[in-house]
Amino acid sequence: MGINVWMPRIASVKPTLTVTEPEILRTASPSKDWQSSQYSTDWDALKTEVQNCTLCGLCNTRTQTVFGSGNPHADWLVIGEAAGEEKDKQGLPFVGVAGQLLTEMLRAIGLSRDDVFMTNILKCRTPENRDPHVDEIKHCKDYLQRQQQLIKPKIILAVGRIAAQTLLNTHDPLTKLRGNVHTFNNTPVVVVYHPAYLLRSLPEKRKAWQDLQFAKQTFIAMDNQSCVD
Ligand code: URA
């Protein structure tokens, strides 16, 4: 399928932070309160609300909503744009070739799909995979914020232009947004190229690898900092 497993080739990305063993990337914070029954109740209620959502016209064209998948207690929240056709059928985010590439990208920094929670800006597919409309984003953003509040991720990976621009409330191009640490509701956000774009533009894979290294280093720096605080 032409998807290669990524191996580290680039030693340094800016800014250079201390990198420790990848295992630390998978350690969910013990301070999270997700063991409480309230957490499960709230999570299930949100899921049901999304499933039944009729706030915009996409409810008429979707097969089903795509709430997200992975570990709902993860330290990493991975946010894409919207479900594609396959995801709409399967009810899962990032399946298909682009999803496999994203899975490999994460594996390259020591994370499996079960170590992160993956979701999208929009919980429904758009017709012909067109860009989301402003009103669609507006309605769905509340669901995303509530997912974030429950998961309490330590870092957000914004995958692609739409996710990045929506989360960061900007029209800046991805080239300007990548390589910096932004925030969304006080959580650090790192922007990476969308795997669908990388499949069309293979030379950019090198930059995507740099973005992921940067995200990993940012996470470790934040995690170390929160241990000290
Ligand atoms: N699949 C998703 O779930 N999200 C994207 O952004 C692209 C493909």
Side-chain angles (χ1 to χ4, degrees):
M1 182 163 290
I3 295 175
N4 302 319
V5 175
W6 289 15
M7 296 302 290
R9 266 193 286 148
I10 297 157
S12 64
V13 286
K14 68 168 180 94
T16 305
L17 306 166
T18 313
V19 183
T20 53
E21 290 303 303
E23 280 63 49
I24 195 170
L25 298 178
R26 301 199 204 104
T27 316
S29 165
S31 63
K32 293 185 185 184
D33 57 2
W34 44 260
Q35 271 127 337
S36 74
S37 59
Q38 189 58 45
Y39 176 93
S40 313
T41 310
D42 292 349
W43 186 255
D44 290 345
L46 179 56
K47 225 180 207 173
T48 306
E49 213 178 308
V50 168
Q51 257 164 19
N52 298 328
C53 180
T54 54
L55 289 175
C56 78
L58 294 179
C59 64
N60 298 316
T61 49
R62 72 180 178 225
T63 308
Q64 58 185 313
T65 54
V66 179
F67 185 71
S69 72
N71 179 355
H73 318 307
D75 284 340
W76 290 71
L77 178 57
V78 178
I79 303 177
E81 177 181 331
E85 194 173 350
E86 270 309 303
K87 299 97 202 173
D88 173 74
K89 282 191 199 129
Q90 295 187 29
L92 293 170
F94 286 108
V95 289
V97 183
Q100 285 175 40
L101 178 54
L102 180 62
T103 305
E104 291 304 333
M105 288 162 69
L106 291 171
R107 187 155 41 197
I109 55 164
L111 294 168
S112 77
R113 285 180 74 111
D114 291 335
D115 296 321
V116 305
F117 191 81
M118 282 184 186
T119 189
N120 286 305
I121 297 287
L122 292 192
K123 307 304 185 218
C124 293
R125 174 188 173 217
T126 58
E128 271 95 51
N129 295 335
R130 63 156 168 76
D131 282 357
H133 291 164
V134 174
D135 67 310
E136 295 160 354
I137 290 178
K138 193 172 130 235
H139 291 306
C140 248
K141 210 168 169 182
D142 177 59
Y143 294 135
L144 185 63
Q145 306 214 41
R146 285 161 64 195
Q147 284 180 311
Q148 184 200 4
Q149 278 161 14
L150 288 165
I151 297 169
K152 295 190 175 63
K154 288 188 182 163
I155 190 165
I156 292 174
L157 213 51
V159 181
R161 177 182 62 86
I162 300 280
Q165 291 180 340
T166 302
L167 292 175
L168 306 177
N169 201 18
T170 179
H171 293 294
D172 285 350
L174 200 86
T175 44
K176 195 168 166 197
L177 298 173
R178 59 185 285 273
N180 293 302
V181 183
H182 310 269
T183 55
F184 177 67
N185 297 332
N186 297 322
T187 303
V189 176
V190 171
V191 172
V192 298
Y193 280 107
H194 198 286
Y197 168 73
L198 295 175
L199 287 169
R200 295 193 301 269
S201 178
L202 287 179
E204 302 291 20
K205 272 176 101 178
R206 185 174 158 276
K207 290 186 191 159
W209 168 248
Q210 289 175 331
D211 291 343
L212 285 161
Q213 285 296 306
F214 181 70
K216 177 170 121 176
Q217 292 176 347
T218 302
F219 174 82
I220 291 167
M222 301 287 165
D223 206 45
N224 287 342
Q225 200 177 326
S226 66
C227 290
V228 171
D229 289 346

